[in-house]
Amino acid sequence: MISYQLYKVIHLAAIFTFLSGASVMLLTPSKTKFWKILTGVAGFVILVAGMGLMARLYPGQPMQPWIIGKLVIWLVLMGLGHIVAKRFPAYGFRTYWITILLASTAAYLAIYKPF
């Protein structure tokens, strides 16, 4: 059985990997398949490790509202970067800052659990 701490390390490492890959896709002309695959895999690992964390924090309980907020934010982030990088590259710089803002909001929800 995986411990809470290990789930957290995996979750954070995947977040760092996702944000790094999204930055490359949004800020550089190098939009190779590698970066798309890397951010897709990292996004999947973020969700799986996040669900593992939720299972450790709230075993047998329904999903908390702050977790639903984080889930929505990460689902938006996973689609947003890929869509903008492919179809609207001129908006990459703006989308980068929106990505940072949304990821920071998700971190706020995880730390303070406001609702």
Side-chain angles (χ1 to χ4, degrees), residues 13-25:
I15 290 170
F16 299 148
T17 303
F18 176 85
L19 290 174
S20 298
S23 298
V24 169
M25 283 193 335

Side-chain angles (χ1 to χ4, degrees), residues 65-87:
W66 66 269
I67 296 172
I68 294 170
K70 278 192 66 170
L71 185 61
V72 168
I73 288 171
W74 280 106
L75 289 174
V76 167
L77 283 175
M78 283 184 240
L80 182 68
H82 287 249
I83 291 169
V84 170
K86 182 172 183 162
R87 304 212 188 271

